[in-house]
Amino acid sequence: MARNENSAALKIIPLGGLHEIGKNTCVFEYDDEIILLDAGLAFPTDGMHGVNIVLPDMTYVRENRHKIKGMIVTHGHEDHIGGIAFHLKQFEIPVMYGPRLALAMLEGKLEEAGVRDRTELRSVMPRDVVRIGKNFLVEYIRNTHSIADSFTVAIHTPIGVVIHTGDFKFDHTPVDGERFDIQRLAEHGEKGVLCLLSDSTNSEVPGFTPSERSVYPNLDRVFSQTEGRLFITTFASSVHRINMILELAQKHSRVVSVVGRSMLNLIAHARNLGYIKCPDNLLQPLNTIRNLPDERVLILTTGSQGEPMSAMTRIANKEHPHIKIREGDTVVFSANPIPGNTIAVVNTIDKLMMQGANVVYGRDKGIHVSGHGCQEDQKLMLALTRPKFFVPVHGEHRMLIKHSQTAQSMGVPKENMVLIDNGDVIELTQESIRVGGKVPAGLELVDTSGSGMVSARVLQERQKMAEEGLVTIAAAIDWSGKLLARPEIHMRGVVTSIEKPLLLNWVQQRIEEILSVRWGEFAQTYEGKTDVDWGGLQGLIERDLARSLRKELHCQPTVTLLMQIPDEPTVNVTAATATATATAATTVATDGRRRRTRTAAQVAS
């Protein structure tokens, strides 16, 4: 695309993937057009109670949805495509271009979410060039990664060529024979690359990342030495690894049963597209392999990261309905824990060992290699593309720092690069690069039900309840501002030395004092009618009890008051009938201002 000396700046806005691992999402904006590059997810931390997945804050994209012209998908990992189905519920994307495997995986997700009709999926092949809008030409360049069908992209814009590496390493002996298109990168470098955005994940690690094929002999050794049942867990999306495992199973006369929905889906798509080749009879259901000798059984599962609902974690917790660990089983973790998952993984390993399994894990075993390039891979990328400007992406802060230092050692001036965070707006021209502002870039949390987003307030409430506990108080109050019966108190997760009867007496006295002193502020009588602001009264009592209880208990539990009022006036309510009265009563919501009116005669009754 020809350069225009008077053209506006290209805006590059990462919304995820900076200062973190996961939820990689980036916006490219020129004039009135936006294209998205990937839209991934991350997994919740321990403190995100009830959260299933973590997405980037897409406020900026939603507010500018009318500018969206399309999306570029680089490959099929969840941290790059996992958020798309959720986003399509909020805004449409006219067209998505991506590799065949990634789009095959994505199509199923969109169908399941009911948003398949909100975009058009178009698959691309190596060196395909697609136009998106009037300002973007996108060229797909084959790279090598831990998943098949992965691409680097060269984005031709009115101000020059911007290359985004996607996830990459330089694997010279790829399992599928699809080599990195180094020649095309070099051609772009020769013509001139304005800016390079490059994967920083392994920027702290010297040398080259080993080839995926280097894992084969080490896995072969495990197969040879295992006499009983063999379990292997790896990333569900590691097509190359799964392909090698199936090859080894065939070599060692083991029949394979695949456990885990995500892995089953990926293997089905990869076989259809020719990325996994194996005879049909190699793969068998669990009920078939039960009748085979142990030395002929291989169970391939999800759960290499200790995910709570994954097959391997359920097996370790003795919760899987069909698989139990036996003495003599061998379990192989053909993956290293990603940051934040180490504790979950080692806990799973411990539980498997306690049940008698021989667990093979750890970097020293050579049964896993990264899909991300180390320092020498990053240097080679810089040498091939020879960018004028440089932006390290996809990594935590220390990784971005180290990658920028590597770029300086390769001749990129320090003033020609920027270190950014999610939401920073890069303004790129032919002569300059700078951070020109910021857009919202927080988190959007999806509830485990999948039906809605968890707000920051709800998450804080969940964290508070998890850390300090919950106190629930039920009190029934009549139309004259008197307690109908003794309140009830329930405590969950609260540690206290105060006996419950004493605490209950204190709560009752406190409510009676509040009603005695403050009732007149909420009950107004005029023209023979009484109007009560029950919502306001409930809020006052709850706040007062919360403050006072926290002092008495020496902790900070969440305090909730369930205040109940009778639908009809009652006469001579006793403690024996209070429960029935409360059951038939109207509960006043915490955040409502519920007003009810009774005549003076009704109140007097």
Short mmCIF file of all heavy atoms in Angstrom, two decimals, residues 5 50 58 68 79 114 124 135 159 180 186 251 255 259 264 301 315 360 395 402 418 449 496 509 525 552:
data_model
loop_
_atom_site.label_atom_id
_atom_site.label_comp_id
_atom_site.label_asym_id
_atom_site.label_seq_id
_atom_site.Cartn_x
_atom_site.Cartn_y
_atom_site.Cartn_z
N GLU A 5 2.43 10.93 2.72
CA GLU A 5 3.20 11.76 3.64
C GLU A 5 2.29 12.57 4.57
O GLU A 5 2.67 12.95 5.66
CB GLU A 5 4.12 12.72 2.86
CG GLU A 5 5.19 12.00 2.06
CD GLU A 5 6.18 11.25 2.92
OE1 GLU A 5 6.35 11.64 4.10
OE2 GLU A 5 6.76 10.27 2.45
N GLY A 50 -16.10 -17.85 41.89
CA GLY A 50 -17.25 -18.02 41.01
C GLY A 50 -17.05 -17.53 39.60
O GLY A 50 -17.99 -17.53 38.81
N MET A 58 -13.85 -4.39 26.99
CA MET A 58 -14.06 -4.05 25.58
C MET A 58 -14.89 -2.78 25.41
O MET A 58 -15.49 -2.56 24.36
CB MET A 58 -14.74 -5.23 24.86
CG MET A 58 -13.93 -6.51 24.87
SD MET A 58 -12.38 -6.40 23.95
CE MET A 58 -12.98 -6.57 22.27
N ILE A 68 -15.85 -0.89 13.18
CA ILE A 68 -15.23 -2.21 13.02
C ILE A 68 -15.42 -2.73 11.60
O ILE A 68 -16.55 -2.83 11.10
CB ILE A 68 -15.82 -3.21 14.02
CG1 ILE A 68 -15.60 -2.73 15.47
CG2 ILE A 68 -15.19 -4.59 13.83
CD1 ILE A 68 -16.30 -3.59 16.50
N ASP A 79 -6.16 -18.33 24.44
CA ASP A 79 -5.78 -16.97 24.84
C ASP A 79 -5.74 -16.01 23.66
O ASP A 79 -5.41 -14.83 23.81
CB ASP A 79 -4.43 -16.96 25.58
CG ASP A 79 -3.28 -17.48 24.75
OD1 ASP A 79 -3.51 -18.31 23.85
OD2 ASP A 79 -2.13 -17.06 24.99
N GLY A 114 -24.72 -19.27 20.08
CA GLY A 114 -25.84 -18.69 19.35
C GLY A 114 -25.50 -17.40 18.62
O GLY A 114 -26.39 -16.58 18.40
N VAL A 124 -7.87 -18.63 5.52
CA VAL A 124 -6.76 -18.16 4.70
C VAL A 124 -5.67 -19.23 4.64
O VAL A 124 -5.59 -20.11 5.48
CB VAL A 124 -6.16 -16.85 5.27
CG1 VAL A 124 -7.17 -15.72 5.21
CG2 VAL A 124 -5.67 -17.05 6.70
N ASN A 135 -8.32 0.80 4.38
CA ASN A 135 -6.99 1.19 4.86
C ASN A 135 -6.07 0.03 5.23
O ASN A 135 -4.90 0.26 5.54
CB ASN A 135 -7.14 2.10 6.09
CG ASN A 135 -7.69 3.47 5.74
OD1 ASN A 135 -7.17 4.13 4.86
ND2 ASN A 135 -8.76 3.87 6.42
N ILE A 159 0.52 4.28 6.19
CA ILE A 159 1.81 4.84 6.62
C ILE A 159 2.95 3.84 6.54
O ILE A 159 4.11 4.20 6.78
CB ILE A 159 1.72 5.39 8.07
CG1 ILE A 159 1.42 4.26 9.06
CG2 ILE A 159 0.69 6.49 8.17
CD1 ILE A 159 1.61 4.68 10.50
N PHE A 180 8.50 -22.28 8.99
CA PHE A 180 8.36 -20.82 9.08
C PHE A 180 8.77 -20.21 7.75
O PHE A 180 9.82 -20.54 7.20
CB PHE A 180 9.27 -20.31 10.21
CG PHE A 180 8.81 -19.01 10.84
CD1 PHE A 180 8.73 -18.88 12.21
CD2 PHE A 180 8.46 -17.91 10.05
CE1 PHE A 180 8.31 -17.69 12.80
CE2 PHE A 180 8.04 -16.72 10.62
CZ PHE A 180 7.97 -16.61 12.01
N ALA A 186 12.04 -11.92 5.41
CA ALA A 186 13.23 -11.22 4.95
C ALA A 186 12.89 -10.25 3.82
O ALA A 186 13.47 -9.15 3.72
CB ALA A 186 14.30 -12.22 4.51
N LYS A 251 3.18 -47.19 17.62
CA LYS A 251 4.47 -47.89 17.62
C LYS A 251 4.55 -48.90 18.75
O LYS A 251 5.10 -50.00 18.58
CB LYS A 251 5.60 -46.86 17.75
CG LYS A 251 6.99 -47.46 17.91
CD LYS A 251 8.04 -46.38 18.08
CE LYS A 251 9.43 -46.99 18.34
NZ LYS A 251 10.46 -45.94 18.54
N VAL A 255 -3.65 -48.85 22.66
CA VAL A 255 -4.90 -48.29 22.17
C VAL A 255 -5.19 -47.03 22.99
O VAL A 255 -4.98 -47.00 24.19
CB VAL A 255 -6.05 -49.31 22.31
CG1 VAL A 255 -7.38 -48.69 21.92
CG2 VAL A 255 -5.77 -50.53 21.45
N VAL A 259 -9.95 -38.42 26.80
CA VAL A 259 -10.88 -37.98 27.83
C VAL A 259 -10.77 -36.47 27.98
O VAL A 259 -9.68 -35.94 28.22
CB VAL A 259 -10.59 -38.67 29.19
CG1 VAL A 259 -11.62 -38.23 30.23
CG2 VAL A 259 -10.59 -40.18 29.03
N LEU A 264 -11.13 -33.80 22.66
CA LEU A 264 -11.91 -34.56 21.67
C LEU A 264 -12.28 -33.69 20.48
O LEU A 264 -12.15 -34.11 19.32
CB LEU A 264 -13.17 -35.12 22.33
CG LEU A 264 -13.00 -36.35 23.21
CD1 LEU A 264 -14.24 -36.56 24.08
CD2 LEU A 264 -12.75 -37.59 22.36
N THR A 301 -5.54 -37.21 28.25
CA THR A 301 -6.50 -36.37 28.95
C THR A 301 -6.11 -34.89 28.92
O THR A 301 -4.96 -34.53 28.71
CB THR A 301 -6.64 -36.77 30.44
OG1 THR A 301 -5.55 -36.21 31.19
CG2 THR A 301 -6.67 -38.26 30.61
N ILE A 315 -9.76 -36.92 38.06
CA ILE A 315 -9.17 -38.23 38.36
C ILE A 315 -8.36 -38.16 39.65
O ILE A 315 -8.47 -39.02 40.53
CB ILE A 315 -8.30 -38.72 37.18
CG1 ILE A 315 -9.17 -39.00 35.95
CG2 ILE A 315 -7.50 -39.96 37.58
CD1 ILE A 315 -8.38 -39.22 34.68
N VAL A 360 5.45 -38.64 35.93
CA VAL A 360 6.61 -38.13 35.20
C VAL A 360 6.33 -36.67 34.86
O VAL A 360 5.37 -36.37 34.15
CB VAL A 360 6.86 -38.95 33.91
CG1 VAL A 360 8.10 -38.43 33.19
CG2 VAL A 360 7.00 -40.43 34.24
N GLY A 395 3.40 -10.49 27.14
CA GLY A 395 4.27 -10.89 28.23
C GLY A 395 4.11 -10.01 29.45
O GLY A 395 3.50 -8.94 29.40
N LYS A 402 13.03 -7.00 29.11
CA LYS A 402 14.14 -7.79 28.56
C LYS A 402 14.10 -7.82 27.04
O LYS A 402 15.15 -7.72 26.37
CB LYS A 402 14.08 -9.22 29.11
CG LYS A 402 15.32 -10.05 28.80
CD LYS A 402 16.55 -9.45 29.44
CE LYS A 402 17.81 -10.25 29.09
NZ LYS A 402 19.02 -9.64 29.67
N VAL A 418 8.49 1.69 22.47
CA VAL A 418 7.70 2.08 23.62
C VAL A 418 7.34 0.83 24.42
O VAL A 418 7.10 -0.25 23.86
CB VAL A 418 6.40 2.82 23.21
CG1 VAL A 418 6.71 4.19 22.66
CG2 VAL A 418 5.58 2.01 22.21
N SER A 449 -21.78 -19.65 35.60
CA SER A 449 -23.02 -20.02 34.90
C SER A 449 -22.94 -19.68 33.42
O SER A 449 -23.70 -20.21 32.61
CB SER A 449 -24.21 -19.29 35.52
OG SER A 449 -24.11 -17.89 35.31
N THR A 496 -15.78 -16.61 66.19
CA THR A 496 -16.03 -15.74 67.33
C THR A 496 -16.11 -16.55 68.61
O THR A 496 -16.51 -17.73 68.59
CB THR A 496 -17.34 -14.94 67.15
OG1 THR A 496 -17.56 -14.14 68.32
CG2 THR A 496 -18.54 -15.87 66.96
N GLN A 509 -31.70 -6.39 71.32
CA GLN A 509 -31.70 -5.12 72.03
C GLN A 509 -31.36 -3.97 71.10
O GLN A 509 -31.95 -2.88 71.16
CB GLN A 509 -30.72 -5.17 73.20
CG GLN A 509 -31.13 -6.10 74.33
CD GLN A 509 -30.05 -6.26 75.37
OE1 GLN A 509 -29.01 -5.59 75.34
NE2 GLN A 509 -30.27 -7.18 76.33
N THR A 525 -47.95 9.45 59.58
CA THR A 525 -49.39 9.26 59.58
C THR A 525 -50.07 10.55 59.16
O THR A 525 -49.77 11.63 59.70
CB THR A 525 -49.87 8.85 60.98
OG1 THR A 525 -49.23 7.63 61.36
CG2 THR A 525 -51.39 8.63 60.99
N GLU A 552 -18.04 -5.91 67.87
CA GLU A 552 -18.21 -6.99 68.84
C GLU A 552 -17.44 -8.25 68.44
O GLU A 552 -16.87 -8.94 69.28
CB GLU A 552 -19.71 -7.33 68.96
CG GLU A 552 -20.57 -6.24 69.57
CD GLU A 552 -20.27 -6.06 71.05
OE1 GLU A 552 -19.97 -7.06 71.73
OE2 GLU A 552 -20.34 -4.91 71.53
#
